[in-house]
């Protein structure tokens, strides 16, 4: 398929008059189908610096939805997840969980946000000490946990474990369960990536409670939630001071910074040119192939609202 032909059909918003308006996140739209079931639509929207770009990425939603389903299956023995069914390239039917308002972020390397903080002179991130003498992308001695508050609007904010407990955002026993599960999930994600010639650099997890049981929700080990480096050339590039080849949204952030945008007051959000949108698609499709071992087969969706009506109807009360 010529990806250019898909540019006008990117899924940026859905509407179902027979249902209450969905919760619209940066990427996902979540419909409450009944008291225990959600219909999650993964759109083609893309965000960076907590801003949604005006232009979407063709088939990005399909890649994320399928990659999340694949990755959930790889960690299902560690923790229950929210998936009930994936009946459509852009749709997941999920258990309705009570979300825990913390993003659980694990970092194995000094990259991205951690590097920007480090470069500014800080040596503590979310209450965790970072050793002196590191350069960008160097591995930490061991993976660190750097949580963030899950903001309904605006920017997520770094938070320490001590603050989470002091502010009673999460009870101590539950937080220990989350930490333990998180480290196991990250280790498994690193193992899966290593088998495919990649390094899982950092990632974020979201959790909820379903009938009182800790449950993995949202997405796992996708391009939107994770950063990957190519393993075979990592050390050589570090030794030579060459930028790492990476599969993540960091290249979008770098593109935006080159165009004088970091989400700061007074800055103007630039438009994404069509050729760059296609480049982003190619990177997402490449990661899908690398992680799953399968070529991504896009499906052109031209009537998403009609599709959703048929998919969701069996779940209506």
């Amino acid at each position: 398929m010529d990806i250019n032909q898909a540019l006008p059909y990117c899924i940026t918003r859905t509407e179902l008059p027979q249902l209450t308006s969905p919760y619209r996140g940066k990427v996902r739209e979540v419909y409450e189908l009944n008291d225990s079931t959600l219909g999650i639509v993964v759109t083609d929207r893309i965000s960076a610096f907590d801003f949604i770009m005006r232009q979407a990425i063709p088939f990005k939603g399909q890649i994320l939805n399928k990659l999340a389903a694949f990755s959930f299956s790889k960690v299902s023995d560690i923790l229950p997840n929210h998936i009930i069914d994936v009946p459509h390239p852009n749709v997941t039917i999920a258990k309705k969980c009570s979300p825990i308002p913390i993003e659980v972020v694990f970092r194995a390397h000094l990259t991205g946000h951690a590097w920007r903080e480090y470069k500014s002179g800080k040596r503590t991130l979310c209450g965790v000490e970072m050793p002196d003498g590191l350069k960008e992308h160097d591995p930490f001695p061991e993976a660190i946990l750097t949580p963030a508050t899950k903001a309904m609007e605006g920017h997520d904010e770094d938070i320490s474990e001590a603050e989470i407990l002091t502010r009673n955002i999460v009870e101590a026993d539950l937080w220990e369960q989350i930490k333990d599960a998180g480290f196991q999930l990250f280790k498994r994600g690193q193992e899966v990536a290593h088998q495919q010639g990649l390094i899982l650099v950092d990632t974020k997890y979201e959790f909820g409670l379903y009938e009182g049981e800790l449950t993995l929700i949202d997405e796992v080990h996708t391009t939107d939630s994770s950063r990957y480096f190519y393993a075979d050339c990592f050390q050589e590039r570090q030794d030579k001071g060459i930028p790492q080849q990476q599969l993540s949204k960091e290249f979008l952030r770098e593109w935006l910074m080159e165009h004088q945008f970091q989400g700061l007051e007074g800055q103007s959000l630039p438009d994404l040119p069509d050729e760059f949108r296609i480049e982003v698609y190619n990177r997402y499709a490449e990661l899908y192939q690398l992680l799953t071992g399968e070529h991504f087969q896009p499906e052109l969706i031209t009537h998403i609202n009609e599709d959703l009506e048929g998919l969701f109807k069996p779940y209506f009360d």
Side-chain angles (χ1 to χ4, degrees), residues 8-301:
Y9 294 102
C10 289
I11 298 170
T12 57
R13 187 180 178 90
T14 64
E15 297 285 353
L16 286 178
Q18 64 270 50
L19 288 177
T20 303
S21 293
Y23 163 74
R24 301 187 193 276
K26 296 184 182 77
V27 173
R28 289 165 176 78
E29 300 192 341
V30 183
Y31 290 89
E32 187 171 329
L33 305 184
N34 57 48
D35 289 343
S36 61
T37 313
L38 302 175
I40 301 174
V41 184
V42 190
T43 73
D44 296 326
R45 298 192 296 258
I46 192 167
S47 67
F49 299 117
D50 291 318
F51 280 78
I52 299 171
M53 304 297 108
R54 283 187 288 268
Q55 292 76 30
I57 307 303
F59 304 117
K60 172 179 173 284
Q62 292 185 24
I63 293 173
L64 286 182
N65 198 42
K66 292 182 176 183
L67 185 54
F70 168 84
S71 296
F72 273 123
S73 73
K74 294 294 185 183
V75 298
S76 60
D77 61 314
I78 296 173
L79 193 72
N81 64 66
H82 69 164
I83 291 182
I84 296 173
D85 190 20
V86 184
H88 181 282
N90 290 85
V91 178
T92 291
I93 305 297
K95 304 168 189 173
K96 182 183 177 183
C97 301
S98 299
I100 294 166
I102 293 291
E103 287 193 346
V104 181
V105 182
F106 286 89
R107 303 180 188 274
H109 292 250
L110 182 62
T111 298
H113 171 62
W115 167 246
R116 288 188 285 271
E117 293 289 288
Y118 194 91
K119 186 170 61 171
S120 74
K122 296 179 181 178
R123 290 296 180 270
T124 302
L125 182 63
C126 301
V128 179
E129 294 293 329
M130 298 182 289
D132 284 321
L134 298 181
K135 60 181 183 293
E136 186 176 13
H137 306 316
D138 275 351
F140 292 118
E142 57 185 21
I144 63 173
L145 170 57
T146 59
T149 57
K150 182 65 177 170
M152 295 298 290
E153 294 183 1
H155 295 272
D156 298 336
E157 295 183 359
D158 292 340
I159 188 170
S160 69
E161 289 189 57
E163 288 177 292
I164 291 170
L165 299 175
T166 300
R167 291 163 55 182
N168 202 30
I169 299 174
V170 182
E171 292 183 357
D173 288 348
L174 179 58
W175 180 246
E176 287 302 315
Q177 291 182 53
I178 289 170
K179 280 203 307 181
D180 181 62
F183 276 107
Q184 290 185 62
L185 291 167
F186 190 61
K187 182 179 179 182
R188 179 68 56 80
Q190 289 178 305
E191 291 168 354
V192 172
H194 179 72
Q195 291 168 4
Q196 300 301 114
L198 296 171
I199 296 171
L200 176 58
V201 177
D202 52 38
T203 195
K204 64 98 175 171
Y205 303 113
E206 296 189 33
F207 298 90
L209 295 175
Y210 182 74
E211 297 180 348
E213 185 175 32
L214 186 64
T215 302
L216 186 61
I217 64 173
D218 193 56
E219 59 185 321
V220 63
H221 300 153
T222 70
T223 328
D224 272 20
S225 66
S226 312
R227 191 189 326 264
Y228 293 89
F229 292 156
Y230 292 87
D232 60 353
C233 57
F234 171 77
Q235 195 56 55
E236 180 182 1
R237 285 175 172 270
Q238 281 301 96
D239 293 343
K240 294 181 177 179
I242 301 171
Q244 289 295 332
Q245 284 186 300
Q246 57 180 295
L247 289 168
S248 72
K249 285 201 303 182
E250 187 65 17
F251 71 91
L252 172 60
R253 299 183 190 99
E254 291 171 352
W255 185 91
L256 289 169
M257 287 188 284
E258 289 172 4
H259 290 77
Q260 289 73 55
F261 184 81
Q262 287 182 266
L264 303 177
E265 187 175 351
Q267 296 181 335
S268 297
L269 181 67
D271 289 322
L272 304 183
D274 286 352
E275 60 270 22
F276 184 68
R277 294 166 69 193
I278 293 171
E279 180 184 344
V280 176
Y281 160 77
N282 287 330
R283 295 207 183 198
Y284 273 82
E286 180 184 6
L287 178 61
Y288 178 89
Q289 180 177 340
L290 285 171
L291 280 179
T292 67
E294 300 176 358
H295 286 282
F296 171 67
Q297 300 295 332
E299 297 181 40
L300 187 63
I301 307 297

